[in-house]
Amino acid sequence: MSQIKLIVYATDFSEGSAHAAELARQLTRLHGARLHLLHVITELHDRHWRGIPGGLMEEFAREIKTQAMTDMHDFAQRFFGDFEGELTTDVVIGPAAEEILVQASALGADLIVMGTHGRSGVEKLLVGSTTERLIRKSMIPVLTVPERG
């Protein structure tokens, strides 16, 4: 097995992601790896926004991204405030699975860690599964961590 040098931890900032954050933290420490926290804003990628005039949409996207960057800072402080390794963060806009793969590949990640919501049935059918799409398309190992009940 190859050395893990960089872990990308994809988060939606939910309370359920706390367990995945802790595992990402432990794996990073265990391997002496770097850790990159990533949040993908998926709502602005939705086709329903296409009718909004470009300038207004760009301003709206800028505001949403600014808020998400604040949320990322707060999340990083809460779960990684005393982290001793190399930690970077990013917030991007687009379809979640695709953006996670693009970012992880561009960074040369050795592992992707993310929490799962455990949706099933109709909810999974309607909402889809970012985790499922990511696992199917990724050439990078993906560790999925279920929420703790």
Side-chain angles (χ1 to χ4, degrees), residues 85-139:
E86 184 180 333
L87 177 72
T88 55
T89 63
D90 199 7
V91 174
V92 297
I93 298 171
E98 288 79 0
E99 283 299 327
I100 292 167
L101 286 175
V102 165
Q103 299 299 317
S105 294
L107 292 166
D110 302 295
L111 178 66
I112 299 168
V113 176
M114 65 184 296
T116 62
H117 293 288
R119 292 183 179 110
S120 62
V122 174
E123 185 179 19
K124 181 178 176 184
L125 182 64
L126 294 174
V127 177
S129 171
T130 297
T131 306
E132 183 180 338
R133 284 190 300 276
L134 182 64
I135 291 170
R136 268 197 331 244
K137 295 179 178 183
S138 183
M139 298 303 290

Side-chain angles (χ1 to χ4, degrees), residues 11 13 37-39 65-82 87-91:
T11 182
F13 306 136
L37 307 183
L38 177 65
H39 175 70
K65 190 168 182 178
T66 297
Q67 181 58 54
M69 290 167 64
T70 298
D71 293 343
M72 174 64 84
H73 174 77
D74 294 346
F75 185 86
Q77 285 298 314
R78 180 174 173 202
F79 292 102
F80 301 95
D82 61 347
L87 177 72
T88 55
T89 63
D90 199 7
V91 174

Side-chain angles (χ1 to χ4, degrees), residues 18-39:
H19 186 55
E22 182 54 35
L23 282 176
R25 185 183 165 106
Q26 289 175 11
L27 286 168
T28 303
R29 185 174 44 238
L30 178 68
H31 292 278
R34 295 176 291 132
L35 181 60
H36 183 77
L37 307 183
L38 177 65
H39 175 70

